[in-house]
Amino acid sequence: MRDENCIFCKIAGGEIPSTTLYEDDDFRVILDLGPATRGHALLIPKEHYRDLFDLEDEVAEKVLLRARRIAGRMKEALGADGFNLVQNNGKAAGQTVFHFHMHLIPRYENDHAGILWKPGETTPEELEEVKRLVDGQ
């Protein structure tokens, strides 16, 4: 199903022009107009899914397979030194377009893209509490 008010539905459906790196029946991969680094692309399903938690299992499996294949080709072609696959879910996590998409970001030595975070601190008790909560105990 598509959302007629969703810009990514329109891009994925070819209604809005984009520089497309890859396309199949389920996905379109386009170059990002505000790239973090040279070659930054977006993998976008053609069907509308709000975020990761809205994806059907079959689509979720296909996302990682496509991302791995396309990122590998991009890394080699662009001479990238590494690669980030970034996927945000919800406003608090940095999602700004509420149509599932994955960022494919080639990384280069000293590119200053700033995608890393400063590691925090925890305690053994906090680790156990989180484990207990996630396990549903």
Side-chain angles (χ1 to χ4, degrees):
M1 181 177 293
R2 295 189 58 223
D3 179 342
E4 294 304 318
N5 297 315
C6 174
I7 191 166
F8 276 14
C9 283
K10 292 176 182 178
I11 292 170
E15 296 172 46
I16 295 176
S18 63
T19 303
T20 299
L21 297 181
Y22 172 87
E23 182 176 11
D24 63 25
D25 291 341
D26 302 312
F27 300 94
R28 184 180 294 253
V29 176
I30 64 167
L31 289 176
D32 195 309
L33 293 178
T37 64
R38 181 174 181 260
H40 178 169
L42 303 174
L43 180 124
I44 307 170
K46 290 185 176 179
E47 295 294 322
H48 185 81
Y49 303 96
R50 181 173 171 81
D51 57 26
L52 175 70
F53 308 107
D54 197 28
L55 285 181
E56 298 165 0
D57 288 349
E58 179 183 329
V59 175
E61 291 170 1
K62 288 179 180 180
V63 165
L64 193 54
L65 293 172
R66 298 303 188 290
R68 181 184 67 180
R69 181 182 328 135
I70 296 160
R73 288 194 340 223
M74 292 172 68
K75 184 176 184 289
E76 183 177 323
L78 298 172
D81 300 306
F83 225 93
N84 286 117
L85 300 178
V86 178
Q87 204 284 304
N88 303 318
N89 296 279
K91 184 177 178 181
Q95 186 177 9
T96 58
V97 177
F98 292 89
H99 178 120
F100 174 91
H101 58 286
M102 181 177 283
H103 295 262
L104 310 178
I105 306 173
R107 298 303 303 267
Y108 309 93
E109 292 296 327
N110 301 311
D111 63 21
H112 306 291
I115 298 171
L116 302 176
W117 57 87
K118 180 182 175 192
E121 296 180 9
T122 190
T123 64
E125 295 79 20
E126 185 176 22
L127 295 173
E128 283 302 315
E129 177 186 7
V130 170
K131 179 183 182 319
R132 180 181 52 75
L133 290 169
V134 173
D135 285 346
Q137 298 177 8

